[in-house]
Structure formats: C-alpha cells, structure tokens
Amino acid sequence: MDVSSKAASYISTTQRSAQCDSHGAYDSTATLLGTKVMHWSACPHCVRQANVASRASLAQQAVAERQRRLETRLNQAGIPLRFREKDFASFVADTDDKEKALSAAMEFAHHFAHHRSTGTTMVFSGMPGTGKSHLATAIARHVMGKHTVMYTSAIDAVRMIRDTWRRDAPQSETQILQVLADIDLLILDEVGMQYGSESEQISLFDIIDKRYRNVMPSILITNQNRHGLRQFLGDRSFDRLRENSIWQSFDWASQRGQVMNLAI
C-alpha cells in the first residue's frame, strides 16, 4: 500500500444523530483521524443562517467603509450637524400637503433600490423653513445603511470643482466629477442660491449630466419654482431633470420659530 492509500485509510468520516434547540434533529458528521474525532458538524440550518448574517454584516461594513472613505476624501461632504437627528417620525405632517410631502419622501427612501436602478431625481421646492432639508436628511439616514450618501450645498459642490483648478490641487476636475457621479445618492441643497454665473451653471450641469448618464438618483433642494430653477440652471440641466423626476412642492409657511412663538 502506497503512502497516499495509507493516509486515505487513516482519515475517515462518521455520523451520529444530533439535536438543535432551534431546528430539531439533524445528522452530524465528523472527520476521524484514525480513531480520533476531529470535529462534529453543527446544525446545517444554523450554519446557513450564520453565513447569511456574516455576509450581510460584511456587506454593511463595506458600505460603511465606502462612506468613511468618501467623507474623508471630500471634507465638505456629510449631513449638516443641525439636521443629523431629523427623521420621518419627527416631521410634523399636520396638513394634507405636508402629509403628501412626507409620503413622497418615505416612498423614495423605502423603494430606493428601484430609484437607484432608474436614476430618479427628486426636487424639493419651497420657501425656507418648510422642512425640505428635514425630509432629505430623513431619506439620507434611511438609505445610508446600505448605500453611500453625500449631502452638500450646490455652492460647495461647485467649490469642490473650482478647487481642482489650482496648480497644486491634489485631485483633478475629472476625478472630483467621477466621485460625485459614483455616490449612490447625491443631495444638493440650496440650489439656486448662487450667483448664477455661467461657470456655476457649467459646473452644476457637469454634475447633473454625469449622474444622468450614469443613471444615478439625486435630490435637489431649492427655494425656486420651476421657472426660477430652469432660469438658474439653464435649459440643458433642467432638461435632464425633467426625465424620470419627482417634483415635490412645499407650499406652506416657514415652521421655524413656531415653538418660540407659542411660548411667547
């Protein structure tokens, strides 16, 4: 008998009946090294559940790491501190119009996988203090568990691009645009609050167009109505927004300071 045959005869397997507290009886298999039992196999249902949980945990860790790298790379990224605790539950929907806005935001968040695949753009339009940033933040918090999110003002996004024009810039304009295009959900706040210069229009068009071409979803927050936003962004950018977009109006008075007013 050659060495390999001797080794094969020395290693064998055996089975026995076992009981799992969660799944009941199962056949447990062990490897024998001669007569020594090396290891009895665990309940196969428990093993599968553990593997699924492990893969889910690794996937979540990978997304968290992508988000960390993203925010490290773009130091102007991230949800503003004032809004970080905002969620759907804390949005006061005390009118039908506010209820519609809340429902639209929750639908976008809860069906983000669909909107991610179709590249939906959601526009929150209304006067300051009406809860646009609140609901955008609630969407971001819901989505961030499985996807990368960046929340920034439009002018800061423009500055990111302009900063690459310096001779000593660590990144090129192409690299920054690619980062902005690859984020799963980009939220641009205060769209229309800039000077509206041609260079700003071109930078915002580059961002909107690249995400449009890559079929990536975005949320734009603006105080402008449709006509004002078209005038500010220009026809080319606005035309990109019209395809597969959701326009949500916030047509009510500012809610800021209402608690103080009640106290007075």
Side-chain angles (χ1 to χ4, degrees), residues 7-14 30-34:
S9 63
Y10 191 63
I11 300 173
S12 59
T13 59
T14 186
T31 299
L32 298 178
L33 191 61

Side-chain angles (χ1 to χ4, degrees), residues 213-243:
R213 292 176 182 274
N214 288 0
V215 196
M216 300 295 279
S218 306
I219 297 176
L220 273 59
I221 305 171
T222 182
N223 298 339
Q224 304 282 345
N225 58 21
R226 292 175 190 265
H227 175 73
L229 189 61
R230 175 193 282 275
Q231 205 168 33
F232 173 78
L233 289 177
D235 289 337
R236 291 194 305 164
S237 293
F238 193 81
D239 185 61
R240 297 292 191 272
L241 299 181
R242 290 194 305 176
E243 185 175 338

Side-chain angles (χ1 to χ4, degrees), residues 163-171:
D163 285 346
T164 67
W165 299 349
R166 300 195 318 266
R167 182 172 298 180
D168 61 342
Q171 292 177 299

Side-chain angles (χ1 to χ4, degrees), residues 16-47:
R16 70 178 183 185
S17 296
Q19 190 74 18
C20 172
D21 292 340
S22 300
H23 302 105
Y26 70 94
D27 291 330
S28 180
T29 302
T31 299
L32 298 178
L33 191 61
T35 58
K36 184 179 179 181
V37 174
M38 302 304 296
H39 174 71
W40 287 104
S41 62
C43 167
H45 297 292
C46 290
V47 170

